[in-house]
Amino acid sequence: MGERHQQASVARLADLPPDPRHRARISDIFYAASATRAFASDDARAAFEERWLGRYLAHDADLVYVALSQDGEVIGYLVAATDDPATAPRFADIAYFKDVGAVTARFPAHLHINLDEGWRGGGIGQALIEAVVAELARRRIPGVHVVTGRASRNVSFYRKAGFEQAAALTWDGKPLVMLGRLIAPASAG
């Protein structure tokens, strides 16, 4: 891991003193990393953020991890949920989960991760994933998945983090891939 990794730390957001700048920075990173740049209205933009970020911050606060620079600025985040999105009503708005329900049963947890562009490539994303995987193992969650574009540059990142292709699917005409990682439960004691 590079020098950038050594200049950053990973923490669960809920364990940090409350600071509204953290949430604002997470939102900034979310939009900077998003492939969606234009919205029909402010309501459409708010709905987009709620779908891919807000619901995790509100309902899964104990699974929100942040990467912090030495000066305490959020430089990346990971949000996750443990409930199977193919069966959880709160994810019914993401239609493709119904098509891959057999797969999500093996990998029920899912995550979204983004880093500030200037901090990518130094091992920080891997550190965020390992932090949440350790927590999922402690909770005895059998696996975690991500869904991304089949040709996205982040596929190689996830493969390096131990994810393998679990399913291929199409949503809104876009070819996607579901990548899953099995998790060994943490040993008791």
XYZ file of all heavy atoms in Angstrom, residues 97-170:
563
model
N -32.896 -6.489 -8.702
C -32.674 -7.412 -7.588
C -33.619 -8.609 -7.634
O -33.243 -9.709 -7.225
C -32.770 -6.692 -6.240
C -31.534 -5.912 -5.907
C -31.613 -4.575 -5.600
C -30.283 -6.515 -5.900
C -30.473 -3.843 -5.283
C -29.132 -5.797 -5.592
C -29.234 -4.461 -5.285
N -34.826 -8.426 -8.134
C -35.764 -9.546 -8.252
C -35.220 -10.616 -9.199
O -35.459 -11.792 -9.013
C -37.135 -9.067 -8.737
C -37.837 -8.146 -7.762
C -38.236 -8.887 -6.514
C -38.998 -7.958 -5.596
N -39.011 -8.401 -4.230
N -34.467 -10.194 -10.215
C -33.917 -11.129 -11.200
C -32.728 -11.932 -10.675
O -32.373 -12.952 -11.257
C -33.475 -10.378 -12.457
C -34.626 -9.673 -13.158
O -35.783 -10.126 -12.998
O -34.370 -8.676 -13.857
N -32.104 -11.454 -9.619
C -30.906 -12.129 -9.098
C -31.093 -12.567 -7.648
O -30.117 -12.717 -6.912
C -29.650 -11.237 -9.258
C -29.274 -11.075 -10.728
C -29.847 -9.889 -8.597
N -32.324 -12.808 -7.256
C -32.622 -13.197 -5.881
C -31.897 -14.447 -5.415
O -31.483 -14.539 -4.254
N -31.717 -15.413 -6.291
C -30.993 -16.632 -5.902
C -29.542 -16.305 -5.564
O -28.949 -16.925 -4.675
C -31.062 -17.663 -7.020
N -28.991 -15.322 -6.250
C -27.605 -14.935 -6.005
C -27.495 -14.079 -4.746
O -26.594 -14.274 -3.929
C -27.019 -14.194 -7.228
C -25.587 -13.765 -6.976
C -27.106 -15.075 -8.464
N -28.422 -13.145 -4.570
C -28.342 -12.291 -3.382
C -28.557 -13.091 -2.100
O -28.095 -12.673 -1.040
C -29.335 -11.112 -3.438
O -30.662 -11.618 -3.504
C -29.040 -10.191 -4.602
N -29.203 -14.228 -2.187
C -29.349 -15.079 -1.002
C -27.981 -15.555 -0.503
O -27.780 -15.709 0.703
C -30.253 -16.272 -1.321
N -27.043 -15.753 -1.416
C -25.677 -16.155 -1.035
C -24.839 -14.964 -0.584
O -23.907 -15.108 0.204
C -24.972 -16.818 -2.217
C -25.532 -18.171 -2.576
C -24.753 -18.831 -3.711
N -23.351 -18.979 -3.384
C -22.356 -18.764 -4.249
N -22.610 -18.386 -5.480
N -21.104 -18.947 -3.885
N -25.152 -13.797 -1.138
C -24.399 -12.572 -0.859
C -25.386 -11.482 -0.439
O -25.564 -10.492 -1.156
C -23.654 -12.118 -2.119
C -22.761 -13.145 -2.741
C -23.195 -13.877 -3.846
C -21.497 -13.395 -2.248
C -22.377 -14.818 -4.452
C -20.666 -14.338 -2.838
C -21.108 -15.058 -3.940
N -26.062 -11.607 0.709
C -27.155 -10.684 1.031
C -26.729 -9.249 1.328
O -27.459 -8.312 1.036
C -27.814 -11.320 2.249
C -26.735 -12.154 2.870
C -25.896 -12.649 1.721
N -25.562 -9.059 1.896
C -25.106 -7.698 2.172
C -24.658 -7.054 0.867
O -24.246 -7.735 -0.072
C -23.953 -7.715 3.168
N -24.779 -5.751 0.790
C -24.276 -5.046 -0.381
C -23.691 -3.715 0.043
O -23.957 -3.230 1.143
C -25.345 -4.899 -1.463
C -26.566 -4.162 -1.036
N -27.520 -4.690 -0.214
C -26.983 -2.920 -1.340
C -28.480 -3.807 -0.020
N -28.173 -2.720 -0.694
N -22.862 -3.169 -0.824
C -22.169 -1.940 -0.459
C -22.030 -1.018 -1.653
O -22.168 -1.428 -2.805
C -20.795 -2.260 0.142
C -19.759 -2.976 -0.736
C -18.966 -2.004 -1.597
C -18.802 -3.769 0.140
N -21.757 0.237 -1.317
C -21.405 1.274 -2.285
C -20.187 1.984 -1.703
O -20.162 2.298 -0.512
C -22.543 2.282 -2.480
C -23.791 1.665 -3.008
N -24.012 1.465 -4.354
C -24.879 1.186 -2.371
C -25.192 0.893 -4.511
N -25.738 0.715 -3.331
N -19.208 2.216 -2.531
C -17.970 2.838 -2.073
C -17.523 3.884 -3.087
O -17.656 3.668 -4.295
C -16.868 1.771 -1.859
C -15.571 2.394 -1.333
C -16.638 0.954 -3.110
C -14.505 1.356 -0.946
N -17.020 4.990 -2.584
C -16.463 6.033 -3.448
C -15.328 6.733 -2.714
O -15.415 6.950 -1.497
C -17.528 7.068 -3.843
C -18.450 6.546 -4.910
O -18.015 6.140 -5.985
N -19.734 6.525 -4.619
N -14.308 7.093 -3.477
C -13.185 7.850 -2.938
C -13.020 9.134 -3.730
O -13.300 9.167 -4.936
C -11.880 7.064 -3.052
C -11.740 5.800 -2.225
C -10.420 5.130 -2.540
C -11.834 6.109 -0.747
N -12.530 10.148 -3.057
C -12.113 11.357 -3.740
C -11.074 10.946 -4.780
O -10.191 10.128 -4.507
C -11.504 12.326 -2.716
C -11.041 13.608 -3.333
O -9.931 13.617 -3.910
O -11.784 14.594 -3.255
N -11.195 11.474 -5.973
C -10.340 11.045 -7.083
C -8.848 11.136 -6.746
O -8.066 10.274 -7.135
C -10.653 11.874 -8.326
C -9.960 11.370 -9.557
C -10.402 12.081 -10.821
O -11.189 13.036 -10.755
O -9.936 11.648 -11.888
N -8.449 12.138 -6.016
C -7.041 12.315 -5.677
C -6.499 11.294 -4.696
O -5.285 11.223 -4.490
N -7.366 10.493 -4.108
C -6.943 9.513 -3.116
C -7.090 8.070 -3.607
O -6.893 7.129 -2.839
C -7.735 9.711 -1.830
C -7.330 10.951 -1.100
C -7.816 12.211 -1.281
C -6.336 11.050 -0.089
N -7.192 13.089 -0.439
C -6.273 12.401 0.315
C -5.497 10.138 0.530
C -5.402 12.851 1.287
C -4.627 10.577 1.510
C -4.587 11.927 1.881
N -7.418 7.881 -4.853
C -7.588 6.524 -5.382
C -6.237 5.883 -5.677
O -5.261 6.562 -5.956
C -8.431 6.557 -6.659
C -9.846 6.991 -6.391
C -10.665 7.051 -7.656
N -11.946 7.698 -7.385
C -12.670 8.305 -8.282
N -12.280 8.344 -9.548
N -13.812 8.864 -7.943
N -6.215 4.565 -5.604
C -5.021 3.822 -5.979
C -4.004 3.627 -4.874
O -2.945 3.054 -5.117
N -4.306 4.036 -3.677
C -3.345 3.906 -2.587
C -3.722 2.894 -1.521
O -3.104 2.854 -0.467
N -4.751 2.090 -1.770
C -5.135 1.069 -0.793
C -6.228 1.494 0.164
O -6.660 0.700 1.006
N -6.708 2.716 0.048
C -7.733 3.204 0.976
C -9.063 2.507 0.729
O -9.763 2.122 1.672
C -7.871 4.735 0.874
C -6.549 5.395 1.265
C -9.013 5.241 1.740
C -6.447 6.847 0.885
N -9.433 2.311 -0.525
C -10.666 1.601 -0.831
C -10.642 0.189 -0.286
O -11.626 -0.301 0.285
N -9.509 -0.480 -0.445
C -9.353 -1.838 0.098
C -9.513 -1.815 1.619
O -10.161 -2.699 2.185
C -7.983 -2.394 -0.287
C -7.721 -3.786 0.224
C -8.515 -4.855 -0.495
O -8.826 -4.717 -1.666
N -8.860 -5.911 0.205
N -8.953 -0.814 2.277
C -9.067 -0.716 3.737
C -10.530 -0.515 4.155
O -10.983 -1.098 5.153
C -8.201 0.428 4.265
N -11.282 0.278 3.400
C -12.708 0.453 3.695
C -13.456 -0.872 3.542
O -14.273 -1.238 4.404
C -13.319 1.509 2.770
C -12.994 2.962 3.089
C -13.322 3.865 1.902
C -13.739 3.424 4.337
N -13.170 -1.604 2.464
C -13.838 -2.887 2.259
C -13.486 -3.868 3.376
O -14.358 -4.552 3.915
C -13.523 -3.460 0.864
C -14.291 -2.641 -0.182
C -13.880 -4.946 0.782
C -14.049 -3.040 -1.608
N -12.245 -3.938 3.745
C -11.851 -4.881 4.800
C -12.495 -4.520 6.135
O -12.851 -5.407 6.913
C -10.332 -4.968 4.916
C -9.668 -5.593 3.691
C -10.287 -6.917 3.257
O -10.594 -7.774 4.107
O -10.480 -7.109 2.034
N -12.682 -3.236 6.394
C -13.352 -2.830 7.645
C -14.791 -3.323 7.670
O -15.257 -3.873 8.676
C -13.300 -1.307 7.800
N -15.523 -3.153 6.569
C -16.917 -3.600 6.571
C -16.997 -5.121 6.519
O -17.870 -5.716 7.155
C -17.750 -2.928 5.457
C -17.548 -3.576 4.105
C -19.226 -2.945 5.818
N -16.100 -5.776 5.802
C -16.115 -7.245 5.762
C -15.872 -7.817 7.161
O -16.521 -8.794 7.557
C -15.100 -7.785 4.729
C -14.827 -9.269 4.930
C -15.614 -7.521 3.316
N -14.985 -7.220 7.928
C -14.746 -7.685 9.304
C -16.022 -7.557 10.128
O -16.368 -8.453 10.914
C -13.606 -6.898 9.940
N -16.749 -6.458 9.958
C -18.006 -6.276 10.694
C -19.062 -7.266 10.216
O -19.807 -7.839 11.031
C -18.507 -4.844 10.541
C -19.842 -4.577 11.223
C -19.857 -4.820 12.724
O -18.780 -4.835 13.373
O -20.961 -5.007 13.277
N -19.140 -7.501 8.930
C -20.104 -8.472 8.408
C -19.773 -9.877 8.896
O -20.678 -10.654 9.228
C -20.139 -8.415 6.876
C -20.636 -7.104 6.270
C -20.437 -7.108 4.759
C -22.082 -6.815 6.640
N -18.501 -10.215 8.974
C -18.099 -11.522 9.509
C -18.515 -11.646 10.972
O -19.027 -12.688 11.402
C -16.588 -11.709 9.365
N -18.317 -10.572 11.725
C -18.717 -10.584 13.134
C -20.218 -10.835 13.264
O -20.671 -11.534 14.163
C -18.336 -9.259 13.796
C -18.524 -9.254 15.321
C -18.295 -7.886 15.918
N -19.332 -6.933 15.568
C -20.576 -6.948 16.045
N -20.971 -7.879 16.857
N -21.443 -6.012 15.679
N -20.985 -10.301 12.324
C -22.445 -10.477 12.338
C -22.891 -11.781 11.677
O -24.076 -12.039 11.562
C -23.111 -9.298 11.604
C -22.913 -7.976 12.299
C -23.622 -6.886 11.535
N -23.314 -5.582 12.079
C -24.031 -4.501 11.849
N -25.105 -4.561 11.071
N -23.684 -3.346 12.370
N -21.929 -12.554 11.196
C -22.192 -13.838 10.548
C -23.018 -13.702 9.260
O -23.846 -14.539 8.944
C -22.813 -14.817 11.523
C -21.923 -15.014 12.765
C -22.439 -15.989 13.737
N -21.847 -17.309 13.854
C -20.582 -17.677 13.792
N -19.683 -16.806 13.491
N -20.191 -18.910 13.992
N -22.759 -12.647 8.520
C -23.369 -12.446 7.204
C -22.537 -13.272 6.215
O -21.310 -13.128 6.177
C -23.368 -10.950 6.815
C -24.070 -10.098 7.874
C -23.972 -10.757 5.430
C -25.532 -10.395 8.085
N -23.158 -14.137 5.420
C -22.385 -15.070 4.590
C -21.657 -14.461 3.389
O -20.688 -15.035 2.902
C -23.428 -16.077 4.112
C -24.718 -15.321 4.147
C -24.601 -14.367 5.310
N -22.118 -13.320 2.909
C -21.468 -12.744 1.742
C -21.940 -11.334 1.474
O -22.959 -10.888 2.000
N -21.185 -10.642 0.637
C -21.473 -9.263 0.277
C -21.339 -9.134 -1.238
O -20.549 -9.851 -1.860
C -20.534 -8.283 1.017
C -19.067 -8.517 0.681
C -20.922 -6.832 0.775
N -22.125 -8.242 -1.823
C -22.037 -8.040 -3.270
C -22.048 -6.565 -3.620
O -22.416 -5.722 -2.805
C -23.184 -8.762 -3.994
C -24.503 -8.091 -3.850
N -25.383 -8.387 -2.839
C -25.100 -7.108 -4.586
C -26.466 -7.635 -2.964
N -26.314 -6.843 -4.018
N -21.639 -6.315 -4.851
C -21.750 -4.997 -5.478
C -22.308 -5.217 -6.871
O -22.137 -6.289 -7.455
C -20.398 -4.247 -5.555
C -19.841 -3.974 -4.177
C -19.394 -4.995 -6.405
N -22.968 -4.213 -7.401
C -23.436 -4.230 -8.780
C -22.826 -3.020 -9.458
O -22.877 -1.902 -8.925
C -24.980 -4.185 -8.859
C -25.435 -4.120 -10.312
C -25.592 -5.389 -8.154
N -22.230 -3.246 -10.622
C -21.571 -2.166 -11.342
C -21.659 -2.428 -12.838
O -22.087 -3.509 -13.251
C -20.096 -2.019 -10.875
O -19.547 -0.817 -11.400
C -19.251 -3.209 -11.266
N -21.268 -1.466 -13.617
C -21.255 -1.650 -15.061
C -20.284 -2.751 -15.454
O -19.185 -2.840 -14.899
N -20.701 -3.576 -16.379
C -19.881 -4.723 -16.785
C -18.502 -4.292 -17.268
O -17.517 -4.994 -17.029
C -20.607 -5.503 -17.878
C -20.189 -6.947 -17.967
C -21.052 -7.747 -18.898
N -22.435 -7.802 -18.408
C -23.479 -8.133 -19.144
N -23.320 -8.455 -20.401
N -24.687 -8.145 -18.625
N -18.407 -3.138 -17.911
C -17.126 -2.667 -18.440
C -16.515 -1.549 -17.583
O -15.555 -0.905 -18.006
C -17.308 -2.185 -19.878
N -17.043 -1.315 -16.391
C -16.545 -0.226 -15.536
C -15.121 -0.496 -15.063
O -14.733 -1.635 -14.819
C -17.446 -0.050 -14.317
O -18.708 0.408 -14.705
N -14.376 0.584 -14.896
C -12.996 0.459 -14.431
C -12.909 -0.102 -13.019
O -11.902 -0.668 -12.630
C -12.288 1.807 -14.515
C -12.879 2.871 -13.624
C -12.114 4.193 -13.750
N -12.854 5.289 -13.204
C -13.016 5.515 -11.898
N -12.471 4.728 -11.022
N -13.725 6.545 -11.475
N -14.000 0.013 -12.238
C -13.942 -0.463 -10.860
C -14.058 -1.979 -10.733
O -13.827 -2.526 -9.666
C -14.987 0.232 -9.988
C -16.413 -0.031 -10.422
O -16.686 -0.822 -11.318
N -17.341 0.653 -9.784
N -14.367 -2.690 -11.818
C -14.452 -4.147 -11.752
C -13.115 -4.734 -11.297
O -13.070 -5.626 -10.440
C -14.914 -4.745 -13.098
C -14.780 -6.264 -13.106
C -16.355 -4.338 -13.402
N -12.010 -4.238 -11.829
C -10.695 -4.766 -11.421
C -10.404 -4.453 -9.955
O -9.796 -5.267 -9.256
C -9.587 -4.235 -12.328
O -9.466 -2.836 -12.202
N -10.841 -3.297 -9.476
C -10.686 -2.964 -8.054
C -11.394 -4.002 -7.183
O -10.826 -4.520 -6.219
C -11.243 -1.560 -7.773
C -11.507 -1.290 -6.325
C -10.465 -1.013 -5.453
C -12.800 -1.330 -5.816
C -10.704 -0.776 -4.104
C -13.049 -1.097 -4.476
C -11.996 -0.826 -3.616
N -12.655 -4.311 -7.529
C -13.405 -5.286 -6.736
C -12.785 -6.676 -6.818
O -12.735 -7.402 -5.829
C -14.871 -5.318 -7.161
C -15.621 -4.069 -6.756
C -16.166 -3.223 -7.711
C -15.772 -3.732 -5.413
C -16.857 -2.078 -7.339
C -16.448 -2.588 -5.034
C -16.983 -1.765 -6.005
O -17.655 -0.630 -5.625
N -12.297 -7.047 -7.980
C -11.654 -8.361 -8.106
C -10.432 -8.441 -7.197
O -10.201 -9.450 -6.543
C -11.284 -8.637 -9.551
C -12.508 -8.920 -10.419
C -12.089 -9.429 -11.798
N -13.199 -9.561 -12.698
C -14.098 -10.546 -12.684
N -14.001 -11.483 -11.780
N -15.076 -10.579 -13.558
N -9.647 -7.375 -7.135
C -8.487 -7.346 -6.239
C -8.915 -7.430 -4.782
O -8.154 -7.886 -3.931
C -7.665 -6.074 -6.469
C -6.903 -6.075 -7.773
C -6.173 -4.759 -7.962
C -5.598 -4.661 -9.358
N -5.052 -3.332 -9.637
N -10.134 -6.991 -4.489
C -10.659 -7.017 -3.120
C -11.355 -8.343 -2.804
O -12.025 -8.470 -1.779
C -11.620 -5.854 -2.905
N -11.226 -9.336 -3.688
C -11.754 -10.660 -3.406
C -13.147 -10.947 -3.932
O -13.740 -11.976 -3.600
N -13.686 -10.060 -4.759
C -15.013 -10.269 -5.345
C -14.865 -11.033 -6.663
O -13.913 -10.810 -7.407
C -15.703 -8.928 -5.617
C -16.143 -8.200 -4.382
C -15.225 -7.521 -3.581
C -17.485 -8.171 -4.027
C -15.633 -6.835 -2.449
C -17.896 -7.484 -2.897
C -16.978 -6.819 -2.102
N -15.839 -11.907 -6.926
C -15.881 -12.654 -8.181
C -17.250 -12.477 -8.816
O -18.238 -12.221 -8.122
C -15.621 -14.129 -7.918
C -14.225 -14.396 -7.370
C -13.962 -15.863 -7.121
O -14.831 -16.704 -7.447
O -12.882 -16.161 -6.595
N -17.302 -12.648 -10.134
C -18.587 -12.482 -10.812
C -19.580 -13.514 -10.313
O -19.314 -14.704 -10.294
C -18.437 -12.592 -12.331
C -19.760 -12.349 -13.029
C -19.635 -12.151 -14.517
O -18.633 -11.637 -14.988
N -20.658 -12.555 -15.242
N -20.746 -13.028 -9.909
C -21.822 -13.887 -9.415
C -23.000 -13.908 -10.376
O -23.763 -14.868 -10.402
C -22.277 -13.409 -8.032
N -23.166 -12.838 -11.162
C -24.270 -12.768 -12.120
C -24.009 -11.640 -13.115
O -23.313 -10.675 -12.800
C -25.602 -12.515 -11.404
N -24.584 -11.802 -14.298
C -24.594 -10.735 -15.298
C -26.052 -10.371 -15.515
O -26.928 -11.243 -15.507
C -23.948 -11.212 -16.593
N -26.339 -9.098 -15.675
C -27.708 -8.648 -15.835
C -27.733 -7.369 -16.657
O -26.697 -6.781 -16.941
C -28.376 -8.444 -14.475
C -27.671 -7.513 -13.476
C -28.692 -6.810 -12.620
C -26.766 -8.344 -12.587
N -28.929 -6.971 -17.042
C -29.121 -5.725 -17.784
C -30.204 -4.925 -17.075
O -31.215 -5.488 -16.641
C -29.555 -6.027 -19.236
O -28.547 -6.837 -19.834
C -29.716 -4.750 -20.035
